[in-house]
Amino acid sequence: MSQSMGRSLLVGFIWVLGLLYFLEVRRYTEPSETMTITAVFWCFTLLAGIELVRLFRSHRGRADKAAGGAGFSSILRDKRTHLALLIILYLVLIPLLGFYAASFLSFAAFGYALGARKLAHIVLPNLLVLVFIYIVFTVLLKIMLPSGLLF
Amino acid sequence: MDFDQLLQAAGMMMTWDMPLWVVGGLFIGIFLGAIPGVSGVLAITLLLGPSYYMPALQAIIFFTAIYTGSVYGGGITAVLMNIPGTPAAIATGFDGYAMTQSGRHNEALGASIFSSAVGVFLSYFVVLLLFLPLGRVVLKFGPAEMLMVVIFALTSVGMVKGEILQTVLLGLFGILVGTIGSSPYGHARGTFGFPALFEGIPIVPALLGLLAVSELFIMVEQKYIIKTGDRPRQSVREIVRGMGLVLHHPKNLIRSCLIGLGIGLMPAAGSTIASMVSYAAARRASNHPERFGKGELDGVIAAEASNNGSEGGAVATMMLLGIPGSVTTALLIAAFMIHGMSPGPYLIRENLTFAYAVILNQFIQAGLLLVIATLFVNYFSRIIFIPTRILAPAVLVFSVVGALSARGLILDAVIMVLFAALGYTLKKLDYPYMGFILGFILGDVVDREFLKSFLMYADDLPDLFSRPAFLVMFVLTVLSIVWPYFYARFQKPKG
């Protein structure tokens, strides 16, 4: 996907989000609740329109057609895909296992995905970071981190 | 200068733990500042969450120490390996690395440490002298002026980045996101049914996502931040000798500090531009301009004194007007807000002593920077060899802790991930994400000031232009929009 196409999609997407917000706020009758959002939304719409026209012109003028999307298998092999999936899994595991157990597993899995193969390379930094967090956040600052089945 | 408040501010700093926060902040800042692409921004973002639990003054001073350390830290690897840890250190590498190649690395390191410390000291000294007079001017600002200041900040960020339309567009989107939460009448606005969003989008998870987690996706594409590099050994005695050499160049040192301060005062200009402008000025003023780029000590002094000097200006603008000139000062505003303070006229009116304490502490930071950087420079230059398989998972876990530390809600971690997706997309598409951050942080201010301005001037709009401060801000905003077009037009080669 060319950059101008990507930018167009992003501008369109955030404009839709802005529109949903604007429509929700319009329900209110009190001007003080709607005035800023209305003014900002219309300025935002105007600039988004100008940006989209500019992107459309540059896309047409430069002939920077899409170089062909990456294959599904290459997306699956991409470290960024692994990272995204790991983050989602991490967030699912926190309420189930508790912060420390979920963090231990995610740290190890993430390190492995980034090329760590020796057990010491996976476990030692992991333990050091978690012990540090435990001492600073749980013991000293007394921050309540989510607990679950394990810890 | 208000001496009573100044004395009270000095008293506020007399706590046993204050030096610990300063030393800790400087260490963290120098370490992370030395890593290209990481910098002090990451450290401050990760620590914003835990700062909820710190006393306000300690938290702000800790963050400014990280800021000071990181601006200096970028210069260490620029001198030793020609790898600037931050863009602000690019100019340091021009002559610093050339000095290393000719075996004068200790001299260059000494000059960079001393110039950095003097840069911090002098710029904050000027800020201390001018803070109250400037503050009195700012106190005359009404809602319309404050609104204009925000618009000016957005357009000037756009002017510096060369993308005014995109910066203002993202800034407006940021303002919309920043106004999510309860309305002045207690109705939910833009919460999409999530009661937890009634207080607004929490600032810490959002910034963690935008700045820290989004950076992970870029970080994982490489095995090491830096793969190889030779690091010459350092000698403390030689470094101290290098510091002494700076004293033989007082004009360059003072000029560079003042250039840094002046550029730092402008929104969005920042330390990178300060070091480049100062380097060029030092070269123009030199009797031997041909030596620049080949190991000229004046080049290192100019770059380091100005990039550290710009910090004073940026922090002054942030505290006086409440607008961030860079991502780091945006994070400092977030830190103030976390502790219930609002930088700008409100800070001057209600927390002047606090602001003085922050400024006074910078003199201690300058002194400690001198000691810490001299003694530990050898260790600081090793940090860039840390593998990403350790750094990236650690950043992820710290980010999640930061997101959870405020309210303990998983929703905050989800918000962090959503903002990470937005941040990564903006970075990949080369959009100026600073515009979004500015709008997001100032959304609440815009909402409040726009409403007040409308109520005050809706029936008498021309009256606005009879207010000098409004007129000045208006002219500056228009200039920041039209200037790049005129500049480009006159720069075009003839014929």
Side-chain angles (χ1 to χ4, degrees), chain B residues 190-317:
Chain B
T191 58
F192 299 102
F194 288 103
L197 291 181
F198 201 70
E199 296 167 31
I201 299 230
I203 204 161
V204 173
L207 291 177
L208 276 166
L210 277 169
L211 299 170
V213 181
S214 67
E215 202 59 43
L216 282 180
F217 285 88
I218 294 162
M219 207 187 274
V220 295
E221 292 172 31
Q222 55 209 81
K223 254 188 166 179
Y224 288 85
I225 303 289
I226 298 298
K227 276 183 185 166
T228 54
D230 297 323
R231 284 176 302 108
R233 292 291 306 172
Q234 284 90 51
S235 141
V236 172
R237 184 182 289 181
E238 286 294 301
I239 289 172
V240 173
R241 201 180 68 80
M243 290 180 183
L245 291 176
V246 177
L247 294 172
H248 299 298
H249 305 255
K251 269 189 196 168
N252 183 24
L253 186 65
I254 293 169
R255 181 183 52 238
S256 306
C257 291
L258 295 179
I259 288 176
L261 173 68
I263 291 178
L265 280 168
M266 290 191 265
S271 49
T272 308
I273 295 174
S275 62
M276 291 293 184
V277 171
S278 173
Y279 184 84
R283 189 178 176 168
R284 268 198 308 274
S286 171
N287 292 328
H288 307 284
E290 74 285 352
R291 289 188 198 162
F292 275 70
K294 295 172 188 162
E296 176 68 20
L297 193 68
D298 267 326
V300 178
I301 295 170
E304 284 296 301
S306 59
N307 67 21
N308 281 276
S310 72
E311 185 197 324
V315 170
T317 304

Side-chain angles (χ1 to χ4, degrees), chain B residues 47 83 141 197-198 215 244 276 293 304 336 372 446 472 492:
Chain B
L47 292 164
I83 303 164
F141 281 24
L197 291 181
F198 201 70
E215 202 59 43
M276 291 293 184
E304 284 296 301
F336 271 97
I372 291 171
V446 172
V472 169
K492 272 183 188 168

